[in-house]
Amino acid sequence: MQYEIKRRHFSTGLAALGASAWLGGCSRVPDSIKIGVGQPLSGPLAPLGQDLLNGVRLAVDELNKAGFSVGGKRVALEVLAQDDGADAARGRAAAQQLVEAGVVAVIGHLNSGVSIETAPIYAAKNVPQLIISTNPKITQLGLPTTFRIVANDNLQARAIGAFAASQLTARNYAVVDDGTPYGKGLADGAQEQLKKANKPIALRQGFDDKTVAFADLAAKLKEAKVDGLICMLNDFQALALLKELQKIGHTRISLLGGDLVKTSEMTKGMGLVDEIFCTSPVLDVTEFTAGRQFLEKYIAAYQKPPAYGGHYTYDAMYVLSDAIRKSASADPATITSALHSINGYAPVTGTMVWDEAGEPRYSSVGVYELRKASWELRMRSDRW
C-alpha cells in the first residue's frame, strides 16, 4: 500500500489543491455528476446491498426533481452501481471501475473486508468513500477519504457483551463467527467482554461466510449444553443453524447476533428457538421522527420496506449533496475537504458529522428482540 497522505495535513492541502483547480478552470461544474455505489448486488447478501442502493437512488431522484444545482448551475446527479459480490477481489475490481468511470464519491461498501481492500483505491484518487462497514481497521488505515456512517464494532462488541452478561439467563455460552473481518472482529470483542464478566464459554468456532452446513455445530452445541449463542454469522447462515438445532431438539437457547441478522429475512427464524436478539449500529427506521415518512416513500418507490439500512445511505446521499454544493465543485478532493468540515443534515437520522479519523461523532448501538415476526427495540446506548 503506497498511499501515505496523513489526515492531519490533508484538509488544508486538499482545499488549496481544490481551489487551485477551480480557479484554473479544471473543476468547472459539468452537466451531470456521477455518484458511485458499491454493494453486494448478487449472492446471499443481495437483499441488503440492493436496499443500500435503493436508499441512494431514492435520494438522488428527489434531489434531481427538486432541481439540484452547484455554483448556480443546474446539475443532474447520476448513480453508477457496481456489484462487489461481498468479495474483496470483486470489490477491488468494482472500486477501480467506479474510479475510472469518474465518480466524485462512493457510497459503499457493506462488508468490512471489502471496504478495507477498496479504501486505498478511492484514496489514491481523492474520492470520498461513505461506508456502512463497521470494522475499526478501516478508519485505522488513516486514509482521509473514509467516512463511516454508523458506529464501529468496538461499541457494538461492548453492547453484545454487556447485554449477554446482564440480560441473558444462559449458563453456557458459545461464540461463532463467519471468518470475515466483520464477523471475527465482533466475535473476538464479544468474547473478551464475556470473559470480563466471568461468563463460561464452552465453544468458540469460526467458519467462512458461505457455510450453511451446521449439523456438526448443532450437535456440539447440544453436547456442551450451550444455551447462550453469540452468533456473528449472516442471516442466511443463522437460519440454517437454527433449523439444525430444531432438528435435534436443542431449542432452549437464546441467540444473540450482530447487525447482519437484523434483517427481514431473519424473521423466518421466529419460533425456532426460545429467543432471538441482535445488536446493531443500524437503528431501525421507525426509531426516528422522520422515519415513517421515509418508510412511506421507500415502499411507494420499491413496493417493499427497507431490508437493512437504506435510510442511512439515503441520508448519506443528502449529506454528500450538501458537500458538493458547499465545495461548488465536482472535484473529489474538494468534496472530501467539504465533508471533513460539514455538519451534514440527514433527513431521517438527523445529522452526520465526522471526527478526524472519519468516525461519526454521534452514533449508538441498539439491542433488538425478534417478536411477532418483527424486530423490537429492547435498549439503546451510545456508551455501553
Side-chain angles (χ1 to χ4, degrees):
M1 186 182 304
Q2 298 178 354
Y3 193 84
E4 297 176 350
I5 291 178
K6 299 298 183 183
R7 188 179 292 273
R8 63 176 176 273
H9 299 308
F10 182 75
S11 296
T12 301
L14 202 56
L17 174 64
S20 174
W22 175 255
L23 293 172
C26 296
S27 294
R28 284 180 294 181
V29 179
D31 294 333
S32 65
I33 292 177
K34 299 174 182 178
I35 308 298
V37 176
Q39 301 291 353
L41 303 177
S42 62
L45 296 183
L48 280 64
Q50 186 63 53
D51 176 43
L52 297 172
L53 173 58
N54 287 348
V56 177
R57 283 180 169 161
L58 184 59
V60 164
D61 287 346
E62 292 176 357
L63 288 162
N64 283 335
K65 287 178 182 178
F68 181 72
S69 63
V70 180
K73 176 181 179 178
R74 179 78 176 266
V75 174
L77 295 171
E78 180 184 355
V79 177
L80 270 63
Q82 284 289 333
D83 180 12
D84 64 31
D87 176 77
R90 288 184 63 182
R92 288 193 298 271
Q96 194 62 47
Q97 288 177 321
L98 289 172
V99 168
E100 291 174 358
V103 299
V104 303
V106 172
I107 298 177
H109 299 253
L110 168 64
N111 302 87
S112 291
V114 177
S115 287
I116 289 172
E117 292 294 322
T118 57
I121 296 173
Y122 299 128
K125 297 298 183 180
N126 299 322
V127 174
Q129 177 188 15
L130 286 75
I131 63 170
I132 203 166
S133 309
T134 54
N135 191 290
K137 292 180 181 178
I138 305 168
T139 54
Q140 290 168 4
L141 293 172
L143 302 175
T145 47
T146 304
F147 301 87
R148 197 192 311 274
I149 63 176
V150 294
N152 69 30
D153 288 344
N154 290 335
L155 183 61
Q156 191 173 359
R158 293 199 297 273
I160 293 169
F163 184 82
S166 63
Q167 301 297 317
L168 300 185
T169 58
R171 292 166 295 179
N172 292 302
Y173 289 86
V175 180
V176 298
D177 68 72
D178 66 356
T180 65
Y182 159 80
K184 188 176 186 305
L186 259 186
D188 289 344
Q191 180 176 333
E192 182 179 347
Q193 295 297 319
L194 286 172
K195 286 182 177 178
K196 287 180 180 178
N198 296 315
K199 297 296 181 179
I201 300 175
L203 179 67
R204 173 72 170 93
Q205 191 164 347
F207 299 87
D208 62 35
D209 60 349
K210 298 176 177 60
T211 297
V212 291
F214 290 115
D216 288 346
L217 174 59
K220 290 179 182 178
L221 295 174
K222 183 175 183 179
E223 182 180 1
K225 299 181 179 179
V226 168
D227 52 358
L229 175 60
I230 308 302
C231 180
M232 296 302 118
L233 300 172
N234 294 294
D235 56 359
F236 67 95
Q237 294 179 298
L239 285 171
L241 174 56
L242 292 183
K243 290 174 183 177
E244 292 296 340
L245 289 170
Q246 187 182 51
K247 286 180 183 178
I248 61 175
H250 188 59
T251 59
R252 303 302 302 270
I253 193 170
S254 298
L255 181 146
L256 175 57
D259 46 297
L260 290 185
V261 303
K262 186 179 173 289
T263 66
S264 54
E265 181 70 11
M266 191 64 192
T267 59
K268 296 177 182 179
M270 184 73 192
L272 295 181
V273 293
D274 277 0
E275 298 175 312
I276 299 177
F277 302 94
C278 76
T279 61
S280 180
V282 180
L283 304 180
D284 193 83
V285 65
T286 59
E287 296 176 47
F288 300 98
T289 303
R292 291 293 180 187
Q293 183 180 3
F294 170 82
L295 196 57
E296 291 174 2
K297 292 190 296 185
Y298 188 102
I299 292 173
Y302 303 112
Q303 290 75 56
K304 59 183 176 182
Y308 181 58
H311 48 303
Y312 281 89
T313 52
Y314 173 87
D315 277 3
M317 185 60 233
Y318 265 96
V319 174
L320 178 58
S321 72
D322 285 345
I324 295 172
R325 285 196 189 100
K326 182 179 179 181
S327 69
S329 171
D331 173 52
T334 314
I335 296 168
T336 297
S337 182
L339 284 169
H340 277 290
S341 61
I342 202 169
N343 188 342
Y345 167 64
V348 180
T349 62
T351 187
M352 286 186 181
V353 184
W354 293 277
D355 65 16
E356 186 178 340
E359 294 286 356
R361 291 191 182 277
Y362 311 109
S363 59
S364 60
V365 173
V367 179
Y368 301 82
E369 182 177 3
L370 188 57
R371 299 185 63 186
K372 298 178 181 178
S374 65
W375 292 105
E376 295 184 9
L377 179 68
R378 285 285 300 266
M379 59 184 67
R380 182 176 67 219
S381 176
D382 59 357
R383 297 182 184 275
W384 290 102

